[in-house]
């Protein structure tokens, strides 16, 4: 099941520790970021690492409410979060393949692809991964020995809130047996490379939430 973000977690997004200015936007349209939560654990040749973060993205209110956009437009909201060449519809309803940006991991450059399913809820839109692959690295990274989980959720601020905003969360985790190519590398180097990947993925999510969703919400007002 999709992760359950606690009330305390969503509250944390509202009192975030960092503020990011959206390019070309006024001071009102600043993204608030909670402190990113990184994790890394290695036991023998088994490794688990990942990250999660909460975002608050203020938007200019329109005639059609932000709550309506989030609760009724889950497919649009998720699809619009990626450029057209990075997302492709799958045969199963409400399922898509997302091609993530190129990532550097030690001596490799990887471009993971993650299949995900969109979940429409009463007051939020969410997605969860259902499969993954890394084209070109099939011999080094076995689908049977590794698992990549990506989960996300977008809510709208309460109608009574003085500042209308998206409240989004992203979480991903990689777990499995280290490929032989990485086993001779010291744990500290593997940890640093894993954190670098986490930061790159979170930065990509920030750009999408900061720029794409507010613009699409404004466009939706005119339709």
């Amino acid at each position: 099941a999709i992760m359950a973000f606690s009330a305390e977690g969503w509250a944390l997004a509202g009192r975030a520790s960092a503020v990011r200015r959206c390019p070309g936007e006024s001071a009102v349209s600043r993204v608030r970021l909670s402190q990113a939560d990184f994790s890394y654990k290695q036991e023998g040749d088994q490794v688990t690492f990942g990250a999660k973060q909460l975002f608050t993205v203020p938007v200019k209110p329109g005639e059609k409410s932000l709550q309506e956009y989030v609760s009724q437009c889950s497919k649009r909201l998720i699809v619009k979060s990626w450029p057209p060449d990075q997302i492709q519809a799958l045969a199963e309803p409400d399922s898509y393949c997302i091609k993530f940006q190129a990532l550097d991991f030690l001596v490799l450059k990887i471009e993971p692809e993650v299949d995900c399913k969109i979940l429409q809820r009463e007051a939020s839109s969410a997605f969860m991964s259902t499969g993954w692959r890394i084209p070109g690295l099939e011999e080094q990274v076995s689908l049977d020995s590794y698992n990549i989980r990506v989960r996300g959720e977008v809510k709208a601020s309460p109608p009574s809130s003085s500042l209308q905003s998206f409240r989004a969360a992203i979480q991903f985790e990689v777990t499995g047996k280290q490929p032989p190519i990485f086993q001779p590398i010291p744990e500290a180097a593997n940890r640093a490379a894993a954190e670098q990947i986490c930061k790159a993925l979170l930065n990509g999510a920030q750009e999408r939430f900061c720029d794409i969703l507010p613009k699409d919400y404004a466009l939706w007002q005119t339709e």
Side-chain angles (χ1 to χ4, degrees):
I2 191 77
M3 60 185 168
F5 295 105
S6 65
E8 292 79 9
W10 287 111
L12 178 61
R15 55 177 190 273
S17 58
V19 177
R20 176 173 179 161
R21 183 87 171 255
C22 296
E25 297 295 328
S26 67
V28 176
S29 300
R30 293 183 179 182
V31 178
R32 295 185 175 274
L33 312 174
S34 70
Q35 185 67 39
D37 182 9
F38 298 104
S39 63
Y40 182 93
K41 181 174 68 173
Q42 184 172 336
E43 297 179 345
D45 60 0
Q46 297 292 317
V47 63
T48 299
F49 69 88
K52 59 183 177 181
Q53 191 167 28
L54 299 169
F55 310 85
T56 297
V57 187
V59 295
K60 183 179 179 180
E63 291 186 7
K64 294 189 284 187
S65 73
L66 189 63
Q67 293 74 27
E68 182 182 357
Y69 175 77
V70 169
S71 65
Q72 297 183 12
C73 302
S74 62
K75 183 180 297 186
R76 172 181 181 140
L77 190 152
I78 299 300
V79 170
K80 291 289 186 177
S81 296
W82 277 269
D85 62 344
Q86 288 185 238
I87 187 165
Q88 180 181 358
L90 299 176
E92 184 178 348
D94 299 324
S95 296
Y96 294 85
C97 172
I98 297 173
K99 299 179 181 180
F100 284 83
Q101 73 266 32
L103 302 167
D104 292 316
F105 189 83
L106 296 171
V107 297
L108 299 178
K109 183 177 289 292
I110 61 175
E111 297 184 40
E113 297 180 358
V114 176
D115 298 337
C116 69
K117 187 172 182 63
I118 295 173
L119 307 174
Q120 181 66 70
R121 296 174 170 178
E122 182 177 350
S124 69
S125 294
F127 71 92
M128 62 181 295
S129 60
T130 58
W132 68 277
R133 67 205 140 270
I134 301 179
L137 291 181
E138 291 82 2
E139 294 184 4
Q140 289 84 7
V141 182
S142 170
L143 295 178
D144 297 326
S145 62
Y146 251 78
N147 191 21
I148 298 177
R149 290 185 291 272
V150 182
R151 304 169 180 176
E153 186 173 7
V154 178
K155 290 185 175 182
S157 57
S160 58
S161 175
S162 59
L163 180 65
Q164 291 296 291
S165 61
F166 289 110
R167 298 182 180 183
I170 185 72
Q171 179 178 7
F172 56 89
E173 183 181 75
V174 178
T175 183
K177 183 178 180 179
Q178 270 193 320
I181 190 175
F182 295 144
Q183 291 177 8
I185 298 174
E187 181 179 343
N190 280 319
R191 181 189 298 271
E195 185 168 330
Q196 182 180 8
I197 280 187
C198 291
K199 288 181 178 179
L201 289 171
L202 290 179
N203 285 339
Q206 290 172 21
E207 291 292 345
R208 286 188 289 274
F209 288 129
C210 176
D211 185 39
I212 297 175
L213 289 184
K215 286 182 178 179
D216 188 63
Y217 172 65
L219 177 63
W220 178 70
Q221 295 289 331
T222 67
E223 297 176 353

